[in-house]
Amino acid sequence: MTDLLCIGAGLAGERVAVEAASAGFDALCLSIVPPRRSHSSAAQGGMQAALGNCFKGEGDCPDVHFSDTVKGSDWGCDQEVARLFVETAPIAVREMAFWGIPWNRVVPGKSTYFKGGKQFEKIEPAASQGLITARDFGGTANWRTCYTSDGAGHTLLYTMDNKVVELGVRVHDRVEAISLIHDGETCTGVVARCLKTGDLRVYLAKATLIATGGYGRIYRETTNAVINDGGGAIIALNTGIVPLGNPEAIQFHPTGIVPTNILVTEGCRGDGGTLLDVNEERFMDKYEPEKAELASRDVVSRWMTHHIRKGLGVKSPYGDHLWLDIRHLGAQHIKTKLREVEEICNNFLGVDPITQLIPVRPAQHYTMAGVRTNKDGAVYGLKGLFSAGEAACWDMHGFNRLGGNSLAETIVAGKIVGGKVAEFLQGYEVAFDTAVTRAALVKEQERIEGLVQCRDGKENVFEVRNAMQDELMDHVGIFRNGKDLQTAVDNLQEICMRAQQVGLRSNGIGVNPELTMALKIKGMVKLALCAAYAALQRTESRGCHAREDYEARNDRDWLKRTLATWEEGADLPTLNYEPVSPTFELAPGERGYGTCKIISCTENDLGD
Amino acid sequence: MARRLQFDIFRYNPQDPLSKPHTDTFHLDETDSMTIYIALNKIREEQDPSLQFDFCCRAGICGACAMVINGRPGLACKTLAKELPGQITLMPLPVFKLVGDLSVDTGTWFRAMNEKVGSWIHTDKTFDPTALEERMDNDRAEEIYELERCVECGCCVASCGTANMREDFLGAAALNRIARFMLDPRDERKNKEYFEVIGTDEGIFGCMGLLACEDVCPKELPLQDELGVLRRKMGWTAVKNLFRRG
């Protein structure tokens, strides 16, 4: 029994635990991997916070950060939350510095930088010497992204886990929560499976936090770690009560390498790299004469997909792809400014980017979708249940997240939600119902026995997973249309039936990986169905959600957030909608980039 | 023509009373850019779904997939098949407790290490949310980051002669961590306090100088230099302690 149980020990989970522990509460984290292996560590770029220390950050402030974030979200975010976020971000970054992050610092004097492949000069102010500096990122008006070389996520996670060790917060690593214990009103913990022994355990808690990150692994091509398979979202959805917010909001990044979908940075194109097709010819300049390769992420991803569909992709054993060409930037530039890209190409492809082309294609990157919470991080529908980070739909990203805002969200939301959890725990007592707990445990025991004994069938779990992933790639990807989405919904419903009939081929003893996958496959297909079905219903284009048959952003009818719940026994999610934001500090308008067709709303639609 | 690769993989499931340690052999046709990550997943999905191994980021960032590949500890995700002979032997890392097959428990080991070395900024100051951050020289920040790049994969520990002989040896990862905090102006610990943690045979004086740690480190950390510097600093601290006692 513990005060706070965090499911997930990445940045968000640990930040919440640290806040609660600092307030004197007992916190315990569960993690399916040792905490420092959480996917937070893979974020390389940095975290946005309006410190305004560096030359290119001059004049920056939370107001500008707010405006960038709301525009980035395509007015799909909760503006009250976005405001809370941008105001807290500078404090959160400085706090992380206090705890030990070796943030890169301002070096006064003259230096050079690249933009659009050209070199420019800048002069850093002497007054800012040694303060935290920032780099440029897409969709921002100022240089605002604080960084530590190419390892911001890594240093943040290590520093956070150091804090966890210092405070004596317990982490049970290699433990996976497989269901929430609740009575329909209050959440009192989880049933979990130990990934060192395979045994089931019950964890009782006054407050439970879902901080399991995103779930890119429902897609075949994703930049996400293999652990990002939706564990937290699945157990929330399985309650039948808790809604997912905007399950159709899924971000793609243009340049994942083929075959492993590891990300190569946007800096390649920023510095003048080009995209080539099977004939080694450029194509982005034909689709987007003005911005070419440097159009926004969603736009470039869309054209790349279009080009592959026209049959101009490069065939490979891992499917069709395109080429990224940075050869003309020269060895010196690549070895200094794009060192990390060179390493990735060498290590994972055996390709030398100085002399060879890099195989790339768009890959799923981020789920703005997540467990819906209020601004305090409290999950809709169950008392005592909270969520933070990519797992949550808090919702500061709306339909498109800005680069640098994901790491920032983990720390900032972690700090804010952690404070609210501590407030919640103050004087809070709950009765642990043994009948409810036992029922939850028995249900999982029976589920495991059923899978091992092939009680419902002998479907191969990997084949079912592959079918689901293919369906999403083919029909719920970068471009969407009613016909494809309907096909996806139909096919995914059939795949969901197959998921129901999965049985193990191996014996299931111990930490059996086939069983681990089998326990979540049906949940994953449900997440896929939520994405497909919500995308089918949303008859507009907003941010990452690009409908070929509804090209305009429709503020008149769709300035709202999807809430998807899944009732026991249903074959589709139930979709409800809520107003996108309680306030409109920034009224809907043009983003200032990308193509822009808007069906406007009236003043009345915005409320007060 | 593509090679037909042979994988000889250590197998043992400690949770299964019928399981005994042995080697299983699998065959795969090599594909372009095949890594051990791709190969092992293919074997699991097509040949033996019970095969245990650990991957997480599969991008050389998280350190989850360290194993012994043809006798050498390394990250499986960034090991390309084409750099290996047609016969590939995979074993779990030694020193760490076996979970099953190629999977070992590094989490428990590293948590204990972090507790032992006090892997956090030790300071009496408290954070002031209204104040500007303390200034730091950018070169110093980059020096700290250079040592902070350790991913706790365990390769250095698995390849260490001392760590393989004595369970209580801190290992290169821990010593590197101490070096990282010694560099950090925010940490108020003195050499004397560091000496209490690493000035013993379980610490820096247990290092035999074989330096396999540096050879196998997938992040290419400058472990040889760091261990050398630490040994010198701790040696001096030991001498000072002697005089103080006398």
Side-chain angles (χ1 to χ4, degrees):
Chain A
M1 211 285 284
T2 181
D3 292 330
L4 169 64
L5 179 70
C6 296
I7 312 169
L11 278 173
E14 288 202 335
R15 185 64 189 84
V16 171
V18 161
E19 198 67 18
S22 301
F25 294 102
D26 179 35
L28 168 66
C29 298
L30 307 183
S31 177
I32 55 178
V33 290
R36 293 177 191 219
R37 313 219 188 285
S38 303
H39 194 48
S40 306
S41 70
Q44 299 184 335
M47 80 181 260
Q48 281 202 47
L51 302 178
N53 290 331
C54 68
F55 169 69
K56 286 290 203 172
E58 207 175 300
D60 200 19
C61 62
D63 289 343
V64 186
H65 190 186
F66 173 79
S67 149
D68 285 345
T69 301
V70 175
K71 287 177 186 167
S73 79
D74 219 354
W75 277 269
C77 73
D78 179 324
Q79 295 197 16
E80 202 180 355
V81 167
R83 175 50 76 179
L84 196 61
F85 161 74
V86 298
E87 296 291 341
T88 312
I91 300 167
V93 161
R94 292 188 177 116
E95 188 170 48
M96 291 310 296
F98 184 79
W99 288 346
I101 303 283
W103 294 117
N104 276 78
R105 305 296 177 131
V106 175
V107 179
K110 210 182 272 185
S111 56
T112 58
Y113 66 99
F114 287 84
K115 197 162 185 131
K118 284 193 195 130
Q119 198 169 332
F120 295 89
E121 212 167 67
K122 63 182 170 70
I123 297 173
E124 292 291 348
S128 297
Q129 176 164 17
L131 295 177
I132 297 168
T133 191
R135 61 166 41 140
D136 199 7
F137 250 54
T140 63
N142 296 83
W143 288 22
R144 187 187 299 127
T145 304
C146 308
Y147 64 99
T148 47
S149 301
D150 55 3
H154 171 84
T155 57
L156 281 164
L157 186 60
Y158 270 55
T159 300
M160 193 63 79
D161 195 56
N162 282 343
K163 196 73 197 165
V164 160
V165 174
E166 180 188 356
L167 293 173
V169 172
R170 289 169 297 152
V171 180
H172 288 187
D173 79 284
R174 286 179 185 262
V175 175
E176 177 160 39
I178 57 172
S179 76
L180 290 171
I181 301 170
H182 69 95
D183 60 3
E185 283 173 11
T186 309
C187 177
T188 48
V190 304
V191 177
R193 179 164 168 260
C194 174
L195 300 182
K196 288 176 188 168
T197 61
D199 297 341
L200 288 187
R201 291 181 194 162
V202 166
Y203 286 90
L204 296 177
K206 289 180 178 175
T208 304
L209 174 90
I210 296 175
T212 49
Y215 50 87
R217 285 279 156 182
I218 60 172
Y219 282 81
R220 189 183 63 228
E221 318 297 350
T222 174
T223 64
N224 285 192
V226 301
I227 55 171
N228 297 122
D229 52 15
I234 290 169
I235 59 176
L237 196 62
N238 282 345
T239 61
I241 302 162
V242 171
L244 296 183
N246 286 339
E248 68 273 39
I250 311 265
Q251 186 178 64
F252 280 73
H253 195 290
T255 54
I257 61 170
V258 181
T260 44
N261 298 303
I262 298 165
L263 198 70
V264 290
T265 175
E266 211 155 298
C268 293
R269 285 171 291 128
D271 292 356
T274 54
L275 292 166
L276 307 180
D277 63 17
V278 67
N279 302 316
E280 299 195 13
E281 281 173 15
R282 278 182 81 190
F283 54 91
M284 278 308 299
D285 54 339
K286 297 180 183 74
Y287 294 126
E288 294 279 330
E290 201 174 317
K291 292 217 156 188
E293 280 86 356
L294 281 177
S296 58
R297 277 182 191 179
D298 50 342
V299 173
V300 178
S301 297
R302 274 171 219 153
W303 287 126
M304 288 171 75
T305 308
H306 173 77
H307 210 64
I308 290 173
R309 279 185 186 173
K310 272 169 66 179
L312 291 164
V314 184
K315 303 265 179 253
S316 85
Y318 305 102
D320 293 0
H321 63 76
L322 294 158
W323 298 116
L324 174 64
D325 184 8
I326 58 171
R327 295 173 300 183
H328 52 287
L329 302 183
Q332 206 216 335
H333 184 91
I334 293 169
K335 279 183 178 296
T336 52
K337 299 286 191 291
L338 299 170
R339 179 181 123 181
E340 164 207 325
V341 174
E342 195 202 8
E343 279 178 18
I344 287 173
C345 290
N346 279 321
N347 288 334
F348 296 96
L349 298 174
V351 161
D352 175 9
I354 297 166
T355 57
Q356 291 171 291
L357 298 171
I358 309 167
V360 295
R361 76 181 149 214
Q364 190 282 346
H365 187 54
Y366 191 84
T367 39
M368 281 77 73
V371 179
R372 179 68 182 134
T373 72
N374 68 12
K375 66 179 176 182
D376 297 339
V379 170
Y380 284 21
L382 282 179
K383 193 177 175 190
L385 185 61
F386 295 81
S387 184
E390 191 177 345
C393 178
W394 187 31
D395 172 13
M396 55 168 277
H397 304 304
F399 275 78
N400 179 64
R401 173 182 68 75
L402 290 185
N405 261 357
S406 55
L407 276 183
E409 182 189 17
T410 62
I411 303 294
V412 174
K415 186 177 169 68
I416 294 170
V417 173
K420 293 296 173 183
V421 168
E423 270 176 35
F424 169 83
L425 285 170
Q426 205 69 50
Y428 175 72
E429 298 297 342
V430 65
F432 294 112
D433 187 325
T434 55
V436 167
T437 307
R438 172 160 302 280
L441 178 64
V442 167
K443 193 174 173 187
E444 295 310 311
Q445 282 167 338
E446 284 175 356
R447 205 150 70 92
I448 290 171
E449 281 168 22
L451 287 165
V452 173
Q453 294 164 7
C454 299
R455 208 178 280 155
D456 297 314
K458 286 190 170 177
E459 277 284 354
N460 177 326
V461 68
F462 298 110
E463 284 170 11
V464 174
R465 184 203 59 191
N466 293 346
M468 167 195 70
Q469 291 177 333
D470 287 347
E471 203 54 47
L472 287 181
M473 289 309 295
D474 293 346
H475 300 127
V476 198
I478 291 162
F479 282 115
R480 300 167 175 188
N481 62 63
K483 185 170 154 283
D484 281 357
L485 290 169
Q486 187 61 57
T487 305
V489 170
D490 295 344
N491 291 346
L492 283 167
Q493 283 187 293
E494 196 194 312
I495 293 165
C496 200
M497 299 285 286
R498 287 174 61 195
Q500 185 70 42
Q501 291 157 10
V502 160
L504 298 196
R505 287 172 293 156
S506 56
N507 63 17
I509 295 173
V511 199
N512 182 288
E514 189 184 20
L515 177 59
T516 307
M517 173 59 70
L519 279 169
K520 68 183 66 155
I521 186 63
K522 193 173 172 211
M524 289 177 82
V525 180
K526 280 183 178 178
L527 294 178
L529 259 170
C530 285
Y533 190 55
L536 175 64
Q537 301 305 321
R538 185 175 283 272
T539 48
E540 65 153 358
S541 292
R542 185 180 296 273
C544 66
H545 175 69
R547 285 284 298 253
E548 293 163 308
D549 44 354
Y550 296 92
E551 288 183 321
R553 190 181 88 202
N554 184 345
D555 292 336
R556 188 189 60 209
D557 305 314
W558 284 103
L559 209 49
K560 50 194 183 186
R561 181 178 298 105
T562 309
L563 297 175
T565 47
W566 201 297
E567 283 163 35
E568 176 97 37
D571 55 6
L572 273 179
T574 306
L575 302 186
N576 290 295
Y577 295 91
E578 65 176 3
V580 79
S581 183
T583 58
F584 282 89
E585 198 180 322
L586 195 64
E590 293 192 13
R591 298 167 95 186
Y593 46 85
T595 48
C596 195
K597 285 182 205 164
I598 299 172
I599 299 169
S600 298
C601 57
T602 63
E603 286 286 320
N604 283 343
D605 295 330
L606 301 181
D608 302 328
Chain B
M1 220 191 76
R3 290 189 298 173
R4 184 135 179 96
L5 301 174
Q6 178 180 328
F7 290 86
D8 295 321
I9 300 177
F10 174 83
R11 302 300 304 275
Y12 177 50
N13 181 358
Q15 304 302 320
D16 183 352
L18 298 177
S19 174
K20 291 199 165 50
H22 66 285
T23 301
D24 274 347
T25 298
F26 302 93
H27 292 93
L28 278 182
D29 290 327
E30 187 175 1
T31 49
D32 284 348
S33 305
M34 182 183 256
T35 59
I36 303 293
Y37 163 71
I38 293 171
L40 282 174
N41 275 293
K42 226 171 147 57
I43 291 171
R44 180 190 278 173
E45 289 175 25
E46 295 169 5
Q47 302 186 37
D48 188 343
S50 71
L51 181 61
Q52 292 183 52
F53 49 78
D54 295 319
F55 286 97
C56 185
C57 77
R58 56 79 177 94
I61 295 165
C62 78
C65 63
M67 57 183 71
V68 181
I69 305 159
N70 281 352
R72 191 182 169 90
L75 296 184
C77 72
K78 57 188 264 187
T79 303
L80 288 160
K82 74 176 179 188
E83 286 164 5
L84 298 171
Q87 191 268 326
I88 298 165
T89 304
L90 301 176
M91 306 279 281
L93 283 188
V95 182
F96 301 96
K97 188 179 173 191
L98 184 77
V99 174
D101 300 339
L102 299 173
S103 173
V104 296
D105 178 6
T106 52
T108 305
W109 197 96
F110 278 100
R111 170 78 185 219
M113 180 280 271
N114 282 306
E115 286 170 0
K116 244 185 274 178
V117 304
S119 175
W120 60 85
I121 300 280
H122 292 240
T123 178
D124 291 332
K125 293 180 189 155
T126 48
F127 175 66
D128 177 0
T130 62
L132 272 187
E133 63 272 22
E134 250 182 62
R135 289 169 199 260
M136 183 187 277
D137 191 48
N138 190 56
D139 288 342
R140 176 54 62 93
E142 286 184 348
E143 278 168 31
I144 295 170
Y145 176 67
E146 191 60 20
L147 302 188
E148 177 105 338
R149 292 185 307 117
C150 167
V151 294
E152 300 192 351
C153 62
C155 286
C156 61
V157 178
S159 69
C160 172
T162 312
N164 272 281
M165 289 187 297
R166 50 189 301 174
E167 219 175 279
D168 56 2
F169 183 57
L170 283 169
L175 296 167
N176 174 69
R177 186 62 49 80
I178 288 284
R180 176 247 177 273
F181 283 102
M182 286 174 96
L183 268 182
D184 199 318
R186 293 166 293 197
D187 196 309
E188 293 166 358
R189 278 178 283 184
K190 302 276 180 290
N191 275 356
K192 196 165 154 274
E193 288 158 79
Y194 290 121
F195 184 82
E196 276 163 26
V197 183
I198 58 166
T200 61
D201 282 351
E202 294 88 55
I204 191 66
F205 302 124
C207 169
M208 299 188 288
L210 301 176
L211 297 170
C213 52
E214 170 146 339
D215 290 345
V216 300
C217 176
K219 303 310 281 186
E220 297 177 357
L221 291 171
L223 296 171
Q224 178 175 351
D225 289 351
E226 292 309 319
L227 264 53
V229 169
L230 272 188
R231 179 183 279 271
R232 206 159 56 234
K233 279 187 186 160
M234 290 302 109
W236 275 112
T237 310
V239 171
K240 280 185 204 159
N241 281 353
L242 270 180
F243 282 117
R244 234 174 254 137
R245 277 188 207 127

